[in-house]
Amino acid sequence: MYAARDDRLTARFSENFTGYTGGGDFLVKDRDEWIKITRQDFAQVPNRIRIEMLDLALQDISEEVVAVSAFFHIHLPISDRVLSQETARLVLVFRLERGEWMIAHSGISIPYYLVREGEVYPLKGLEDRNKELEAQLEAKSRALALSEVRFRSLVENLNDVLFVLTPEGRFRYLSLQWRDAVGYEPGESIGQSFERYVHPDDLPACFSMLKEYVGAEASPSAARGTIEFRVRCKDGAFKWYIANVSKLTDPGDGSLTLVGIGRDVTQAKHADEALKASEKRFRDMVNTTDGIVWEADATTFTFTFISNKAERLLGFPAEDWLQPNFWVAHLHPEDQAWAPAYCASCTGRLEAHDFEYRFIAKDGRVVWLRDIVTVVPENGRPRWLRGVMVDVSAKKQIEAELEDARKMIEDVQHLSKLGGWKYERATGKVKWTKEVYRIHGVADDFDPDKASQTLEFYYPEDRPAIAQALHRAVEYVEPYDLEMRLLRADGRTIWVRILGAPQVEDGQVVSITGNIMDITERKIAEQEIEALAFYDPLTQLPNRRLLFDRLSVARAACSRCKGKGALLFIDLDNFKHINDTLGHDIGDLLLQEAAHRLTSCVREGDTVARLGGDEFIVMLEFHDQPESCAAPAAANVAKKVLACLGADYLLGGTSCRSTPSIGISLFDGDSDPHEVLRQADRAMYRAKSEGRHTMRFFDSTMIG
């Protein structure tokens, strides 16, 4: 702003400004007088001047006051060999005022002894006095050296470390604070690369800054920045430092120097990391818990914090929860009578409590909550309540359903005539109810006294499971629930379900009681359901669903063995004509015969399935063969199918002929099952379009 010669500078002067003028030796205490002097400066040299910065130092005096010292050359817009070679020293004190940094004091040391009355710069007599000034240059140089000594003394009294680096990254200068900070004497480190002292993880960033600054323009303002890194101390420990680094260019030879001020921020870094870790733990706890995390005043029950889960679960935003009496007002009416009193009682005794109640959500839903509460005291009195609310509505619903189910089972057992039994451990006797006799198919005078005799009713392969269950019930008090086959006395096999529960007295199992149920009809129904779900009722072949299950298994086997498989999509060419002219009964017989012939054409491990109508699928697996053999092997099977299904049929005394058209698609472990089927379908239609009673492999020309 000073170099630009405009009033942006004067706007930065503090109301309480003081300063020494460059052309005088008296202290100016009036801001307006200083502005007048500044504007006189601007008027005398209206054109822009150039400031050549030599060095710059900043010192934080307090949070609101910063001192800045600068050394520079002033280049006036005239032919001048004297003033531009003099070193000016400027001290500015900045103070934070109403959020803005204002200049509170200015002191400048500059060879203004040539200034005449009414001048700021000695423009009029400067050229006449150049020779005299040149004669005084040596004296001024000594004065500059003294000034540099003073500046060095100022730097050494700072708390921060001042360092100067060569473009190669070697220390040229280190202030005495280096010794106090890391334990090395400055002389030990001067000439050494900074790489020796920086943590390996931080070196890339430091090298990047060094490269950027060395390659930047010559102007000092073109390379200035801040970097954080860890410094290795002499004792092996590391300290965190933040450094402000500037690049300075020697105007004479153009050589580069990097100047920086480093400040130890280890404690602040550790504190910040601890704070971040603590905040992360809290966020993780709040964000990952399935409950509502909350805090409330222990005396008023007014919430002071509630997690976002409250709004997602109950619909009320956080600001609603912070209102007085909000929690009590939204309890279920039946729970308002006891829940607040219970909580208050536990709180008064400084007791943690865990209770369940109903809460009315914003949309009117009744939500069961489990509230786990901790009481936080201050000076022996309850001060805060902190807890987690968990939605237990689903659990409550399950409990209600289980209770209904228990009652229903009791009624069903009464109506279903379950057989009851009891085994006495001490005597080995077994007692049956009448229903158990009926299930076993024996007369009422049958004596089931011994457990070994009872086991004879069960299939030999099932008896070890019963014996093991009885053993574990007696030794480990384990109940059991078994389903197995029972061979009735009349020779008929049925399925039964047996439940047993050990009865304990004085720590010992004294008996086992249970029931037995005839579940034969259920087992038959399950088998029928499975047949309906996975098999075609007309041909008893696997249906589409079972085909895709087996295709998934085959793909997995292909992945393991690096093999291939094939799908043959088979369509009976003139089935519709036969079905329409000879009737559906003949059509059904044709489909059944075709299914039988197809099964005879493949190996036992291959799959023949009916998709529906007159469409069949044959799935072939070649896991034990090289991949190159899959296509020839599939073609051989297709030829057998063409010959077998192409032969005449004798159906219900009627002779007819139906030929197949076959499309073939190969697959491996990565193939999409549905796409494989579509490819085989396209290949089948190509076979039909090319004359029927033939086969075609799928290729890319069939797409579209």
Side-chain angles (χ1 to χ4, degrees), residues 161-175 178 182 184-198 210 229 231-232 243 245 257-262:
V161 177
L162 177 65
F163 60 89
V164 179
L165 289 174
T166 67
E168 295 76 27
R170 296 185 178 277
F171 287 112
R172 177 178 292 176
Y173 169 78
L174 283 163
S175 64
W178 178 253
V182 299
Y184 292 100
E185 292 292 337
E188 293 181 68
S189 302
I190 291 175
Q192 298 289 331
S193 172
F194 74 88
E195 181 180 358
R196 174 183 176 185
Y197 303 97
V198 175
L210 181 64
F229 54 91
V231 176
R232 181 188 289 109
V245 182
T257 302
L258 299 180
V259 179
I261 298 178

Side-chain angles (χ1 to χ4, degrees), residues 569-575 614-616 645 658-663 684-685 688:
F569 198 116
I570 303 165
D571 184 87
L572 303 182
D573 292 328
N574 57 339
F575 172 78
D614 59 347
E615 295 178 339
F616 295 86
L645 295 188
S658 174
T659 59
S661 294
I662 305 174
M684 182 273 292
Y685 276 105
K688 275 188 175 293

Side-chain angles (χ1 to χ4, degrees), residues 346-417:
C346 294
T347 300
R349 297 191 299 272
L350 301 179
E351 292 180 359
H353 41 291
D354 183 340
F355 61 118
E356 296 179 354
Y357 53 83
R358 289 160 292 181
F359 196 90
I360 308 301
K362 191 172 185 177
D363 59 6
R365 290 178 298 114
V366 176
V367 180
W368 273 97
L369 296 176
R370 178 187 177 189
D371 214 341
I372 306 168
V373 186
T374 298
V375 182
V376 180
E378 284 185 6
N379 301 321
R381 300 174 62 85
R383 181 63 186 92
W384 302 105
L385 298 177
R386 293 174 183 148
V388 178
M389 300 175 188
V390 181
D391 181 6
V392 294
S393 301
K395 187 194 78 167
K396 287 291 184 179
Q397 179 65 25
I398 292 172
E399 289 176 351
E401 292 174 356
L402 288 175
E403 179 61 20
D404 291 342
R406 186 188 65 80
K407 293 180 180 179
M408 181 181 66
I409 290 173
E410 288 179 354
D411 295 339
V412 170
Q413 287 178 340
H414 177 69
L415 298 173
S416 63
K417 298 179 181 179

